[in-house]
Amino acid sequence: MTVAFRPTPSVVRRDSGLYGYERALARRGLGPVAGVDEAGRGACAGPLVVAAVVLSRRIGGLNDSKLLTVSRRESLYELIMAAAEAVSVVVIPPADIDARGLHRSNIEGMRRAVARLSCDLGYVLTDGFPVSGLPVPSLGVWKGDQVAACVAAASIVAKVTRDRMMTALDERHPEYGFAVHKGYGTVSHRRALETHGPCPAHRFSFATVARSGPGGLMGENEMGAGLA
């Protein structure tokens, strides 16, 4: 098992900028550095999407995807996909989340996203908490999508990928409003659940969905089963 590694005596100052972690690790021969983050953890419908990104050059304007406008996220997504050294995306369908549990699904998704990167790695930064079982040393960074560029990039890739999936799902099931709330438990989403009941795009292990009763049927591949 790979043990989380913290290079010493390096200290990354809060004012060192968004690329401070990458610079500090590169100085000690621990590059390239991959950032890993997920989107959809708190939603009660739709997949969990995990992204891993290795940046090859600086991209201005990176930040936590939740703090960016939709248009800014989309433009940064295109820049990241064009300029990154490597990008990997793992999609975990709702049925897998129900079967394995949210946190376990998240951890497994992060491991798989890192494993699928097409370049050799020296280090991994994960958003929020440490992840064991990675192939190289790693560190969980609190609010990593706001303090580390590669994690911010992963946050954007995961968020844009998932939002596009939820918008596509809305075209097939407009009664739930997935294009608007993206599967999160808003008032309008809860009202739709009360009226229509859940469909298999919902996470039945979540209390909001479990209380709403049985719903209709959806093809097993509709939310990307088998893509994870």
Side-chain angles (χ1 to χ4, degrees):
M1 178 182 297
T2 302
V3 178
F5 176 76
R6 294 172 175 80
T8 55
S10 297
V11 175
V12 179
R13 296 168 54 90
R14 288 186 175 272
D15 59 358
S16 61
L18 204 61
Y19 289 85
Y21 280 94
E22 285 95 327
R23 285 198 306 269
L25 291 166
R27 283 197 299 268
R28 282 150 183 81
L30 293 171
V33 181
V36 187
D37 201 2
E38 90 288 324
R41 183 179 176 91
C44 63
L48 181 70
V49 176
V50 182
V53 176
V54 178
L55 295 173
S56 58
R57 64 175 177 84
R58 294 195 177 199
I59 298 175
L62 292 176
N63 202 343
D64 175 1
S65 63
K66 297 183 293 296
L67 302 178
L68 300 169
T69 64
V70 173
S71 61
R72 185 58 176 154
R73 275 200 305 267
E74 289 282 347
S75 62
L76 284 169
Y77 172 88
E78 298 300 335
L79 286 173
I80 294 164
M81 298 303 290
E85 181 173 347
V87 176
S88 172
V89 177
V90 170
V91 178
I92 303 172
D96 287 3
I97 297 171
D98 289 336
R100 301 173 186 171
L102 178 63
H103 185 66
R104 180 181 173 188
S105 296
N106 195 8
I107 294 293
E108 290 179 355
M110 289 184 167
R111 291 171 181 154
R112 293 166 70 183
V114 170
R116 291 183 182 183
L117 287 168
S118 60
C119 67
D120 293 332
L121 297 176
Y123 208 86
V124 174
L125 298 175
T126 56
D127 184 45
F129 51 84
V131 176
S132 63
L134 296 176
V136 295
S138 63
L139 177 68
V141 181
W142 177 247
K143 294 188 180 298
D145 48 10
Q146 297 180 32
V147 299
C150 57
V151 181
S155 169
I156 291 166
V157 171
K159 173 68 172 169
V160 171
T161 300
R162 186 178 187 278
D163 282 359
R164 290 177 177 179
M165 294 182 69
M166 297 307 293
T167 299
L169 183 65
D170 183 76
E171 295 177 0
R172 298 190 292 272
H173 296 277
E175 65 271 23
Y176 296 104
F178 289 136
V180 177
H181 53 66
K182 305 301 189 293
Y184 288 88
T186 63
V187 172
S188 64
H189 190 185
R190 292 198 299 270
R191 286 174 178 167
L193 279 167
E194 292 172 1
T195 302
H196 304 287
C199 67
H202 286 93
R203 303 175 185 177
F204 287 80
S205 56
F206 281 48
T208 301
V209 177
R211 287 195 299 264
S212 63
L217 296 177
M218 180 189 301
E220 65 176 359
N221 291 322
E222 187 158 352
M223 278 310 305
L227 295 178

